[in-house]
Amino acid sequence: MTGLILVAAILLSAGYAKLSTMVLNRMLAVTLPTWANKLLEIIQLLSMPAYAMILLIAFYSRHAGFGGLSWQTISYWELVLILAGAIGFGFLVHSTIVFQSYRPPRCEITCDSRIVDFRTPLTAIAADQVSAPSDWLSTFVGPGPRRRVALLPGNQQFSLEVSTKTYSLPRLPQAWEGLSIVHFADTHFRGAVTRRYFEKVCEHARALKPDLFVFSGDLFDDLALLDWLEPTLGQLKAPLGQYFILGNHDWYLGTNVVRQEYERHGWVDLSSRCIELKSDKSGPPIVIAGDETPWMGKHPDLSHVSPETFRILLSHTPDNVYWAQKQKFDLMLAGHTHGGQIRLPLLGPVYAPSRYGCRFASGVFWLNPTLMYVSRGISGREPIRYNCVPELTKLVLRSGSNFRE
Ligand SMILES: [Fe+2]
């Protein structure tokens, strides 16, 4: 009986953990100040062991095990706790099935990925300053906040998955066949991950030679590191330009200074705007728009854009996908959720600040007629990654004769 009680307590506690993180994820998706976000995270973190302890005390002390549990003896609050755990466990099973059954949509024609481990000498792109594995620590781990977190064994923060993925999109005009975009997300410059790491990421980005670079927000977590932009993103130039929007972490810092720094280095601000891109071949223009809601600005106005025009949206959060779908965007690029940063074996990501929880934590999603790409991003406020390697992706677009839903 003792074993049964323990198993029940563990399953109900796991259910409560799932339910409370679902609530937390949704609360973090709205525009709260950082101190409120931190407070919510601490409350949720403390509530999980508290739930388990209360449950065990109730089972053992008040009811002397399951044998003493009955409708007559169970109190109202005990019933609420058990129900919360049971409902949460149902959600846990559901999200595990969804995570395990995820497959990219069929419009993904090719996927060419390799993982670069920055803790070994970099020979493929540049072997200039990193000569031996022992150098990696002083080269890539800085003195900033959470340095100890960055140094945790097995932390994947100092790896990078560099991918080229080809997508077939039904409305892409022939003149834009092969359009390539390198999508950056969530660098979170804060200091524990050094500038050198981000310079290396940008060297990989430059080697991908895209038609345009885009950054979907959360560049900074510390304005003292503003001068990091010049040797990193400032070195990137593409034939069709470099475009950015800000994220909630840039918003916490004060947006004007960040926008000015981007623009000083040739990046175009897409906040609440819609810009026409023209092909050098004869053919119709396409539009690229930016959306920083719910933190800043408003949805970009597409009323002047013809319904046939191919549309790309840069949105910090994937939560804007249903709006993008209504506006008939063909491609939406987002970040913000970092793939959850830690993915548990079997269960997948746990934390993702989104109205939809972990559903859009990362990956590619087809919501007809919109293809949404959610990047795991490059770093995070906490420099920690397990089973969730930072990513840098080049998307190549093909017009959609071979597209199947
Ligand atoms: Fe972020």
Side-chain angles (χ1 to χ4, degrees):
M1 185 58 79
T2 306
L4 192 64
I5 292 168
L6 264 179
V7 170
I10 289 168
L11 294 182
L12 287 172
S13 299
Y16 173 77
K18 175 66 184 177
L19 195 66
S20 58
T21 46
M22 285 172 70
V23 173
L24 179 72
N25 284 337
R26 281 148 184 85
M27 291 176 89
L28 297 184
V30 298
T31 53
L32 294 174
T34 33
W35 66 263
N37 288 343
K38 269 271 153 277
L39 185 66
L40 288 170
E41 283 168 7
I42 292 167
I43 290 170
Q44 191 265 340
L45 206 62
L46 294 177
S47 76
M48 289 189 284
Y51 175 91
M53 280 177 63
I54 292 168
L55 209 61
L56 282 172
I57 290 167
F59 281 172
Y60 280 105
S61 303
R62 282 184 29 86
H63 301 288
F66 273 152
L69 261 183
S70 71
W71 286 112
Q72 284 76 39
T73 59
I74 199 163
S75 69
Y76 173 74
W77 62 267
E78 284 169 338
L79 193 62
V80 168
L81 285 184
I82 291 170
L83 267 178
I87 291 168
F89 191 75
F91 282 124
L92 185 65
V93 171
H94 175 258
S95 67
T96 304
I97 293 169
V98 169
F99 178 69
Q100 290 298 330
S101 56
Y102 170 81
R103 300 287 178 275
R106 289 179 180 179
C107 58
E108 183 172 298
I109 306 169
T110 66
C111 173
D112 173 23
S113 287
R114 68 197 169 96
I115 293 182
V116 182
D117 188 346
F118 283 25
R119 291 170 298 183
T120 56
L122 301 176
T123 49
I125 298 296
D128 50 349
Q129 291 190 17
V130 184
S131 56
S134 58
D135 287 350
W136 84 271
L137 202 139
S138 57
T139 308
F140 297 125
V141 186
R146 305 293 191 270
R147 177 184 160 87
R148 285 186 186 170
V149 172
L151 287 169
L152 285 172
N155 187 0
Q156 295 173 316
Q157 174 60 74
F158 301 97
S159 298
L160 181 71
E161 184 173 13
V162 184
S163 305
T164 299
K165 299 179 181 181
T166 310
Y167 294 98
S168 170
L169 291 175
R171 295 189 339 127
L172 184 75
Q174 274 296 326
W176 292 91
E177 179 74 17
L179 173 69
S180 59
I181 306 167
V182 164
H183 177 206
F184 275 91
D186 301 277
T187 47
H188 290 265
F189 292 166
R190 203 180 177 203
V193 180
T194 61
R195 192 183 83 183
R196 189 73 190 122
Y197 169 84
F198 296 108
E199 287 171 359
K200 283 288 174 194
V201 172
C202 289
E203 284 173 24
H204 283 277
R206 212 167 39 235
L208 291 170
K209 294 190 170 68
D211 295 317
L212 67 158
F213 286 107
V214 298
F215 194 105
S216 57
D218 278 3
L219 179 61
F220 290 105
D221 262 315
D222 184 352
L223 279 187
L225 307 176
L226 207 59
D227 61 358
W228 284 21
L229 198 149
E230 190 272 326
T232 54
L233 299 192
Q235 301 302 309
L236 303 177
K237 298 282 177 279
L240 290 172
Q242 306 80 239
Y243 299 88
F244 77 93
I245 54 168
L246 301 188
N248 54 317
H249 285 256
D250 305 304
W251 175 65
Y252 299 144
L253 298 173
T255 57
N256 285 346
V257 65
V258 180
R259 291 191 200 283
Q260 283 163 11
E261 193 63 11
Y262 263 115
E263 286 171 340
R264 214 161 65 81
H265 293 97
W267 284 70
V268 178
D269 187 357
L270 274 183
S271 175
S272 312
R273 293 173 68 202
C274 182
I275 288 177
E276 205 169 73
L277 299 177
K278 292 196 170 70
S279 166
D280 50 2
K281 303 164 201 165
S282 61
I286 62 173
V287 295
I288 182 165
D291 193 336
E292 296 171 343
T293 63
W295 298 280
M296 294 156 280
K298 52 189 195 291
H299 294 309
D301 177 13
L302 288 113
S303 56
H304 60 287
V305 177
S306 97
E308 293 79 38
T309 304
F310 187 85
R311 301 162 179 211
I312 301 171
L313 179 68
L314 210 52
S315 167
H316 183 58
T317 172
D319 289 0
N320 288 322
V321 69
Y322 293 108
W323 176 83
Q325 188 185 25
K326 272 194 208 123
Q327 301 299 317
K328 303 206 179 313
F329 275 96
D330 297 275
L331 177 66
M332 171 173 160
L333 302 169
H336 181 55
T337 40
H338 305 188
Q341 288 194 222
I342 298 171
R343 295 181 182 205
L344 300 178
L346 187 73
L347 305 180
V350 177
Y351 289 104
S354 163
R355 265 189 275 164
Y356 308 104
C358 294
R359 183 174 165 201
F360 300 132
S362 65
V364 203
F365 306 89
W366 173 250
L367 292 98
N368 192 12
T370 305
L371 182 77
M372 175 168 70
Y373 190 91
V374 185
S375 171
R376 295 190 302 272
I378 291 163
S379 189
R381 186 174 164 78
E382 308 299 326
I384 188 167
R385 297 269 176 164
Y386 284 96
N387 205 12
C388 187
V389 180
E391 78 161 280
L392 175 72
T393 300
K394 176 181 174 182
L395 295 97
V396 180
L397 308 186
R398 301 273 174 214
S399 48
S401 56
N402 56 348
F403 177 78
R404 291 173 300 153
E405 249 181 68

